[in-house]
Amino acid sequence: MSVYKRIIPCLDVQNGRTVKGINFESIRDAGDPVQLAKFYADQGADELVLLDISATNEERSTFIPIVEAVAAQVNIPFTVGGGISSVETARALLRSGADKISVNSSAVKRPELITELAASFGSQCIVVAIDIRKLGTGWTVHTHGGKRDTGMDALEWIRKVVSLGAGELLITSMDGDGTKTGFALDFYKEAEQLISVPIIASGGAGTIGHFKELFSRTTVTGGLAASIFHFGEIPIPELKKELSKTMRIRTFPTDEHGRTRKFFF
């Protein structure tokens, strides 16, 4: 049976505000994360991702008050990442309302963290985020908000994290981030040959056609984007309507105010 394709807005949070940049730089303000999260849930987003993008570099814990506020406002699943380096921090986030937690730099530093988290909460809760950049004919893994090149081969790393217990991967092309030039289809085609867990593709979304290409030419199940949603370039209802013509996209009826009614099945 074919699976549903998911539309996933990403909220990069810095100092309590949603921000967006290009190639992980040139950051600009995009609004209040709690208000945006509620707006996207009402618009029909399938899931949300909230990333505290400065948590690792500033060596501080993730933003539990924002997680609690988002959980109180939305009725769709959401993943939280940024500065998660222990089972205790992950447990606090899940108790605050997050459905899944995402690890990136901390998993590179200590890969056994993935196994510890999966053993504690189940692989279905564990998303490993991987920031990649093309180097010659391959891709390398970057950490600390894209600021450090680990030198690790990205395809080898994704195979390893899945073997350690990752239940889902969030793979961001740093080259495509904020450029609106399309997803890194060549990488995802290679990745899908190596692993069987769901992949969320991030970096490069700029048109509805980019999502159509992603979902029709790869087995990726999640398409993540930020600026095109934050700045109203592609409304989520319009995107899902177009995609539903050729693939399995969840759509929800609207109420008298134009907000979507959610139910899970």
Side-chain angles (χ1 to χ4, degrees), residues 56 62 66 100 115 129 162-163 185 194 210 223:
T56 296
T62 307
I66 292 178
K100 295 180 280 187
T115 303
V162 171
S163 72
L185 301 182
L194 301 177
H210 290 154

Side-chain angles (χ1 to χ4, degrees), residues 40-194:
Y40 292 140
D42 289 343
Q43 285 285 297
D46 297 292
E47 298 182 22
L48 298 171
V49 170
L50 281 77
L51 300 176
D52 189 344
I53 64 172
S54 58
T56 296
N57 288 325
E58 296 177 6
E59 298 183 350
R60 58 186 171 78
S61 60
T62 307
F63 45 158
I64 285 180
I66 292 178
V67 174
E68 292 174 335
V70 169
Q73 292 292 326
V74 307
N75 55 356
I76 58 175
F78 69 97
T79 299
V80 171
I84 302 171
S85 59
S86 68
V87 169
E88 290 71 25
T89 299
R91 180 176 288 110
L93 289 165
L94 293 171
R95 286 178 173 172
S96 297
D99 297 277
K100 295 180 280 187
I101 58 96
S102 172
V103 291
N104 186 340
S105 301
S106 57
V108 172
K109 181 179 180 180
R110 197 170 68 85
E112 58 267 30
L113 174 65
I114 301 170
T115 303
E116 294 168 3
L117 293 169
S120 298
F121 311 113
S123 291
Q124 78 284 349
C125 288
I126 312 306
V127 180
V128 173
I130 305 174
D131 299 329
I132 64 170
R133 174 162 274 165
K134 194 157 191 176
L135 181 65
T137 59
W139 293 266
T140 58
V141 175
H142 287 62
T143 61
H144 294 77
K147 293 178 172 59
R148 298 185 188 178
D149 184 352
T150 67
M152 292 194 305
D153 179 81
L155 291 171
E156 292 180 4
W157 178 237
I158 67 171
R159 186 154 42 188
K160 180 174 182 177
V161 300
V162 171
S163 72
L164 290 172
E168 187 170 24
L169 302 183
L170 167 55
I171 303 174
T172 300
S173 166
M174 293 179 60
D175 301 305
D177 178 66
T179 65
K180 305 174 187 175
T181 56
F183 293 100
L185 301 182
D186 48 351
F187 181 85
Y188 298 118
K189 287 179 181 178
E190 290 195 52
E192 67 189 21
Q193 302 299 316
L194 301 177

